[in-house]
């Protein structure tokens, strides 16, 4: 990935432009952490990037960002810019392309995200990123009083980076997070959820949640229950305690999981019927909440005689043939009865026993 990024920088610079890796990748490389995507910054405009790369995927020219696929890898390339007059505490009203990396660095959120790497693999540390990385400190590039007001999402990003990197928030930044926490109400729910997801899925989430609570942000985030949430490993278990289904946008799987975890959390998770009806995933998630060892749930689940309706050793077609009947509503009744008897251990799940049981109980004279 590094070599590919270097070749990408070489390509852009061969056209006479400047280009650097910036943000998360140089930061995580310096910290020897695993990284995801690589962000590039350059003085080439989106139009000029279009001319250099035929494989441009998407472009958001309004903000000067172009996403390209280069040697099968995706890169976000952002033109050096400065931003003016933030509206809604989130989006700059106007951006202006600038010529130097120095100016571009100034509009970024935190010092730790300003380390750059050039086409020769050299690190460029213009404003002391490495010092703050060494000191494990989250510090805004400009005065936090201005930075957080310009873009209140930075409040959550600060806590997200503190959590995932296990860093400290610089005291002045903390002060202004407390002061401007209310501005979070103005930020788009989806961007907030992205950051909260990252906090809630971090192995260091206890620290992140502690920060959110001690900085009094849970009310502004409309998740007051965060104050009493039990800290468990899964993101979805954290969300399930926050009564947030009508406050944030969740995908269908998340919604169903949250609903079911809440339904089952006070039930006996080692009961065959519960394990069968809710499945292993939901039961292990609920186990985090009521303190049952997940291994126990796994072991018990492995012993249940059927895991889904398809596992019943006789098919609906066979039942119809046996009873000389067309498929109809009676089938559901028979299958539910079989399920219950099998799960209770009152009926063996083999074709012979099931056939006999159906004849004895359902065959009309
Ligand atoms: P990640 O590891 O999550 O990718 P990242 O630091 O790369 O972390 P991105 O959201 O990918 O974060 O953003 C890339 C860079 O753009 C950041 O490092 C930062 O320099 C800048 N940036 C992103 N969001 C903001 C913001 N809200 N305000 C100022 N600068 C930002
Ligand atoms: Mg990134």
């Amino acid at each position: 990935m590094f070599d590919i990024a270097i070749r990408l920088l070489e390509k852009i610079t061969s056209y006479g432009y400047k280009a650097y890796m910036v943000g998360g990748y140089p930061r995580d490389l310096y910290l020897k952490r695993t990284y995801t995507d690589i962000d590039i910054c350059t003085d080439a405009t989106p139009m000029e990037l279009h001319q250099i790369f035929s494989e441009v995927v998407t472009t958001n020219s309004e903000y000067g960002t172009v996403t390209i696929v280069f040697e099968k890898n995706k890169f976000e390339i952002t033109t050096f810019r400065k931003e003016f007059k933030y509206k809604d505490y989130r989006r700059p009203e106007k951006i202006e392309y600038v010529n130097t990396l120095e100016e571009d660095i100034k509009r970024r959120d935190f010092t730790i995200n300003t380390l750059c790497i050039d086409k020769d693999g050299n690190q460029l540390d213009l404003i002391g990123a490495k010092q703050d990385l060494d000191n494990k400190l989250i510090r805004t590039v400009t005065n936090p009083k201005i930075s957080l007001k310009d873009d209140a999402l930075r409040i959550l990003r600060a806590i997200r980076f503190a959590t995932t990197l296990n860093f400290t928030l610089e005291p002045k930044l903390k002060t202004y997070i407390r002061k401007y926490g209310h501005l979070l109400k103005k930020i788009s729910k989806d961007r907030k959820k992205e950051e909260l997801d990252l906090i809630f899925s971090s192995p260091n989430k206890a620290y992140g949640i502690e920060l959110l609570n001690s900085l009094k942000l849970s009310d502004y985030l409309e998740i007051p229950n965060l104050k009493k949430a039990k800290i468990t490993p899964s993101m979805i278990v954290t969300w399930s305690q926050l009564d947030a289904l009508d406050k944030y946008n969740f995908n269908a799987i998340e919604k169903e999981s949250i609903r079911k975890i809440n339904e089952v959390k006070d039930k006996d998770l080692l009961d065959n019927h519960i394990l069968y009806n809710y499945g292993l995933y939901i039961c292990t998630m609920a186990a985090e909440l009521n303190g049952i060892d997940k291994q126990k749930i796994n072991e018990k689940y492995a012993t249940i005689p059927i895991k889904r309706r398809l596992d019943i050793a006789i098919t609906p077609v066979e039942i119809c043939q046996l009873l000389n009947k067309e498929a109809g509503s009676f089938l559901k009744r028979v299958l539910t009865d079989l399920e219950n008897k099998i799960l209770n251990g009152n009926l063996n799940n083999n074709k012979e026993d099931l056939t006999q049981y159906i004849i004895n109980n359902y065959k009309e004279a």
Side-chain angles (χ1 to χ4, degrees), residues 22-25 27-28 34-39 76 78 81 83 86 90 105 107-110 112-114 147 151 153-154 157 160-161 191 194-195 198:
V22 66
Y25 180 76
R27 178 197 69 219
D28 290 345
T34 50
Y35 49 87
T36 44
D37 54 322
I38 300 188
D39 304 290
E76 292 235 305
T78 305
R81 65 194 203 197
E83 294 163 354
Y86 285 72
R90 169 71 187 114
I105 288 298
R107 59 102 186 158
R108 294 185 178 270
D109 49 8
F110 308 109
I112 58 160
N113 291 339
T114 63
S147 179
D151 179 358
L153 184 68
R154 291 172 184 160
R157 285 178 60 88
R160 188 256 286 193
F161 288 121
R191 283 299 287 120
E194 268 179 46
E195 298 297 334
L198 290 167

Side-chain angles (χ1 to χ4, degrees), residues 67-82:
T67 307
I68 66 150
V69 173
F70 180 77
E71 297 183 16
K72 300 203 176 106
N73 283 277
K74 216 169 101 184
F75 293 90
E76 292 235 305
I77 311 184
T78 305
T79 306
F80 292 160
R81 65 194 203 197
K82 63 182 178 195

Side-chain angles (χ1 to χ4, degrees), residues 226-238:
L226 190 65
K227 287 169 226 152
K228 48 177 199 215
K230 181 165 177 182
I231 310 288
T232 74
S234 311
M235 174 187 91
I236 204 70
V237 175
T238 300

Side-chain angles (χ1 to χ4, degrees), residues 96-113:
E96 185 184 288
Y97 297 136
V98 295
N99 294 321
T100 62
L101 178 63
E102 286 76 3
E103 275 187 279
D104 182 70
I105 288 298
K106 281 186 218 146
R107 59 102 186 158
R108 294 185 178 270
D109 49 8
F110 308 109
T111 55
I112 58 160
N113 291 339

Side-chain angles (χ1 to χ4, degrees), residues 8 11 26 32 74 114 129 132 138 146 150 159 165 176 181 201 206 225 230 243 247 253 282 288 324 326 333 351 360:
L8 176 66
K11 180 157 178 175
K32 300 189 172 67
K74 216 169 101 184
T114 63
D132 285 343
I138 310 286
I146 295 160
D150 277 351
I159 294 172
L165 303 173
Y176 282 100
S201 47
N225 290 351
K230 181 165 177 182
D243 201 9
K247 308 212 176 76
I253 293 173
I282 295 295
E288 284 188 11
N324 267 326
E326 298 274 319
R333 220 172 356 108
K351 202 163 195 164
N360 291 347

Side-chain angles (χ1 to χ4, degrees), residues 46 49 63 83 115 126 145 155 194 201-203 222 253 294:
L49 290 165
Y63 293 105
E83 294 163 354
L115 196 59
L126 298 178
K145 182 178 177 179
I155 293 173
E194 268 179 46
S201 47
S202 165
E222 298 179 87
I253 293 173
K294 282 189 190 180

